[in-house]
Amino acid sequence: MLALKPSHPIRTSNTSCHQIQWLGQTSFRLRIKTPAKTFMLYIDPDIQNSMLPHSVRTTFIKQEVPTDADFVLCTSNMGQNLANALTLCLAAQNRECRIICAPSTAETLLATKLINANMLSVISSRGDVSIGIARITMVHANYSANCVRASLIA
């Protein structure tokens, strides 16, 4: 499992707003506003799933692939999520967009030869990674499905 801990207190006011948006099934988009910048963090992206909310689908149809990703968190090796993570990262306006994942997922992504290691933040077992706006920690979990390597605790 992965635990996400903001690196600064989350508060809401007229000048600071954080949003979480469900993208259907297990996919989410977090908008994290800091004094300097607004960051977009996608979690297990599946931007073509049938449960995608209508308002989001309409936006995505206009743009085809969102270009607002700063970070993409992959909590498993599910093919559709990995394909969408690659797509989001490669289409991102932020040339420093990174995919955050477990080592086995990183191996799968690197094997595509579409990205290089600089585009990955790999979290080892029971380790963590800071992405500036948050710290993401790998915690122990047991699953019956053998393709799942990690999950997110919000």
Side-chain angles (χ1 to χ4, degrees), residues 4-90:
L4 177 67
K5 180 181 178 188
S7 60
H8 62 283
I10 291 183
R11 62 188 190 287
T12 57
S13 69
N14 292 336
T15 59
S16 177
C17 182
H18 307 289
Q19 296 175 335
I20 184 166
Q21 183 176 32
W22 178 63
L23 300 179
Q25 298 180 16
T26 61
S27 300
F28 294 90
R29 178 169 60 178
L30 276 66
R31 180 180 175 267
I32 304 168
K33 187 174 181 180
T34 68
K37 183 182 176 193
T38 298
F39 295 89
M40 292 300 244
L41 168 66
Y42 285 81
I43 302 170
D44 290 333
D46 186 353
I47 59 175
Q48 298 158 338
N49 76 72
S50 61
M51 299 288 291
L52 195 66
H54 179 72
S55 61
V56 177
R57 180 174 293 138
T58 303
T59 302
F60 287 0
I61 288 171
K62 290 177 189 172
Q63 195 176 17
E64 287 192 28
V65 175
T67 59
D68 59 354
D70 293 294
F71 302 99
V72 182
L73 176 59
C74 290
T75 65
S76 72
N77 274 339
M78 290 181 61
Q80 189 65 28
N81 293 356
L82 295 185
N84 282 281
L86 284 169
T87 302
L88 285 168
C89 195
L90 293 171

Side-chain angles (χ1 to χ4, degrees), residues 16 42 52 65 67 69 96 117 123 126 128 134 138 145 151:
S16 177
Y42 285 81
L52 195 66
V65 175
T67 59
E96 296 180 13
I123 307 172
R126 299 207 172 127
D128 61 16
M138 179 82 71
S151 184

Side-chain angles (χ1 to χ4, degrees), residues 2 74 77 100-107 121-124 138 149-150:
L2 296 173
C74 290
N77 274 339
I100 305 153
C101 58
S104 59
T105 303
E107 289 175 25
S121 290
V122 181
I123 307 172
S124 299
M138 179 82 71
R149 301 286 186 245

